[in-house]
Amino acid sequence: METQLRFALCQYLTSLAESCDDEDRKESLEVASQCLPEGLAIDVEDEALVAQHKIPYSLLEVFEAGLAACKQKDVSHQDRMNSDPKYGKFIDTLTNAGFFKGVEAGTPEYEARIKKAQATYVAKYGNQAAAPAPAPAAPEAASEAAPAPAEISEEDKVKAEQLKGEGNKLLSAKKFDEAVEMYSAALKVRPGHAIYLCNRAAALSYLDRHEEARADAETALEKDPGYVKGYSRLGLALFKLGLYQEAVEVYEKGLGVDSENASLKSGLHEAQTKLAAEAAPAAGAPGGMADIMGMAQGLMQDPNAMANLQSMMGGMMGGGEGGQPDLGALLNNPMMQNMAQQMMQDPAMMQNMMGMMGGMGGMPGAPGAGGNNELEDEEETPSYDEVN
């Protein structure tokens, strides 16, 4: 990068000298353009080296773009809410996931969380506000309309179904590469078939080829927006790619088609949880203890988790009313406070704790408390319910 900048500086100075009309200034610029490469330790006469480090923009264009980007860094929360609908959805998702729970608007703690949310959003999606929607295209003339797809013969339909069936067997046998090949063969016979695309997306997800799974699921939904499993496949691919906001939006669209779909509900919950965790305050930042209190409230509202925790902790916690653990005494226990501080400072320790609680069937949203969907656990043999 630095070497490219040095060559760009020399190129810019040379272009200034060539375009200058004032003879005195032109001579000074020419002298400077001859001396600068030596001072920067580069050889502008080496054509191969120049070609290697040449950038497709002028230094002035790079400067203008960089200056514009710097100005955008200071966009306020409210201005961003007004100019970027995607940011508004991002904040809504964090709110629904409990990211701002327990903090009042206008307080230093709330402002700290807003800043953290903004930083997370900008790091992931950049500063650009949503571009205005393009003007609707003029309807195509009848003579220019795309030709209708060729009719699939019954023989080809049967052949494609047989290939898909073989793919399902291979997927069930965990032969994922071969399953991908079989679904691809079916798609050659019946291109764009939503079910075949989603089945291939399932196999690709097992192979951690999430970008390809995403492309298949998107194509499937273009072909059939009412195919609910397409939303599940696309949501999982986005989730695995770390695009949690996009995953939330896809799961919500899917629930608009089938509001009772358990897989979509589970995926939405996990994506919202991940999104909130990604924007959570760092250890020691305002809101840390509020998060611990939130976890404690979650325990109190889940009798199974409380029973498991009471059994795990034994007599250490004391007794509360009705035989329930005395949570107040627990939170005031110096040893438990020290453990909470250690978890706040050690993400791995927190993850292990959450995993342990999830394994006991406890805290909602914790790893192990419910998969993102049927493809998440690679150790579990896929069932025929996963594909059509």
Side-chain angles (χ1 to χ4, degrees):
M1 181 70 72
E2 185 177 344
T3 304
Q4 287 180 310
L5 177 59
R6 293 180 184 185
F7 274 99
L9 283 169
C10 292
Q11 183 182 16
Y12 178 67
L13 197 56
T14 300
S15 67
L16 279 180
E18 292 174 348
S19 61
C20 184
D21 296 328
D22 186 289
E23 289 299 325
D24 291 335
R25 287 183 55 229
K26 184 179 183 73
E27 183 178 353
S28 298
L29 288 169
E30 287 175 347
V31 171
S33 65
Q34 292 168 6
C35 296
L36 188 60
E38 183 177 352
L40 294 177
I42 59 174
D43 184 2
V44 294
E45 302 298 328
D46 188 331
E47 294 182 1
L49 201 60
V50 171
Q52 178 183 350
H53 296 290
K54 185 177 181 180
I55 59 176
Y57 310 98
S58 70
L59 188 62
L60 183 59
E61 290 173 326
V62 173
F63 178 79
E64 289 174 345
L67 185 61
C70 288
K71 288 180 179 178
Q72 290 178 348
K73 288 184 178 179
D74 296 326
V75 177
S76 70
H77 166 69
Q78 193 57 51
D79 287 343
R80 199 182 299 280
M81 287 286 287
N82 293 336
S83 63
D84 189 350
K86 188 173 183 178
Y87 178 70
K89 290 183 179 180
F90 178 79
I91 294 297
D92 287 343
T93 299
L94 292 181
T95 302
N96 294 335
F99 181 65
F100 298 103
K101 185 177 181 180
V103 295
E104 294 184 12
T107 63
E109 185 175 344
Y110 179 83
E111 293 302 320
R113 294 199 178 199
I114 284 291
K115 288 182 179 179
K116 178 65 177 176
Q118 280 201 79
T120 302
Y121 180 85
V122 171
K124 186 176 286 287
Y125 304 109
N127 264 308
Q128 295 293 335
E140 292 182 315
S143 60
E144 297 176 350
E151 186 70 25
I152 304 295
S153 68
E154 289 300 319
E155 183 180 352
D156 282 343
K157 289 180 181 180
V158 171
K159 180 180 179 181
E161 281 296 304
Q162 290 175 341
L163 291 168
K164 181 205 72 173
E166 290 300 317
N168 291 355
K169 293 177 183 178
L170 291 166
L171 184 65
S172 183
K174 296 189 177 183
K175 297 180 179 180
F176 306 123
D177 285 303
E178 296 175 43
V180 168
E181 293 178 5
M182 199 60 64
Y183 293 134
S184 297
L187 284 163
K188 286 182 179 179
V189 180
R190 295 190 71 177
H193 195 283
I195 293 177
Y196 303 168
L197 284 164
C198 282
N199 286 7
R200 186 168 68 177
L204 289 167
S205 292
Y206 274 114
L207 295 168
D208 292 329
R209 292 161 60 179
H210 303 300
E211 282 288 2
E212 295 171 77
R214 173 185 181 177
D216 272 358
E218 287 176 338
T219 303
L221 289 174
E222 289 174 6
K223 297 292 184 181
D224 185 0
Y227 185 48
V228 174
K229 196 158 289 185
Y231 296 99
S232 180
R233 297 286 184 253
L234 180 55
L236 175 63
L238 293 168
F239 182 92
K240 291 295 188 180
L241 290 168
L243 302 174
Y244 305 126
Q245 176 62 33
E246 287 87 340
V248 166
E249 294 173 7
V250 166
Y251 286 129
E252 287 177 341
K253 286 182 181 178
L255 287 169
V257 177
D258 181 1
S259 61
E260 299 302 318
N261 188 282
S263 177
L264 292 174
K265 287 182 177 180
S266 175
L268 175 61
H269 174 73
E270 290 205 16
Q272 289 175 329
T273 301
K274 280 285 190 180
L275 191 62
E278 190 178 64
M289 185 52 70
D291 292 337
I292 296 295
M293 293 300 295
M295 184 171 69
Q297 291 172 0
L299 286 170
M300 294 178 68
Q301 294 169 4
D302 190 330
N304 291 329
M306 286 293 286
N308 286 327
L309 184 60
Q310 183 181 26
S311 175
M312 178 181 69
M313 299 304 294
M316 187 176 76
M317 294 174 60
E321 294 183 5
Q324 292 295 321
D326 187 346
L327 195 56
L330 170 65
L331 294 175
N332 289 322
N333 186 304
M335 183 168 63
M336 293 302 295
Q337 290 178 351
N338 182 54
M339 182 186 300
Q341 289 292 334
Q342 289 180 8
M343 284 195 294
M344 289 168 63
Q345 296 169 9
D346 186 349
M349 183 177 180
M350 176 66 84
Q351 185 72 15
N352 289 335
M353 178 66 175
M354 297 295 285
M356 179 174 62
M357 295 302 299
M360 294 190 299
M363 298 181 67
N372 183 49
N373 67 35
E374 65 270 21
L375 291 178
E376 186 165 9
D377 184 359
E378 294 190 7
E379 295 303 316
E380 181 177 324
T381 302
S383 68
Y384 283 107
D385 292 336
E386 294 183 9
V387 290
N388 296 104

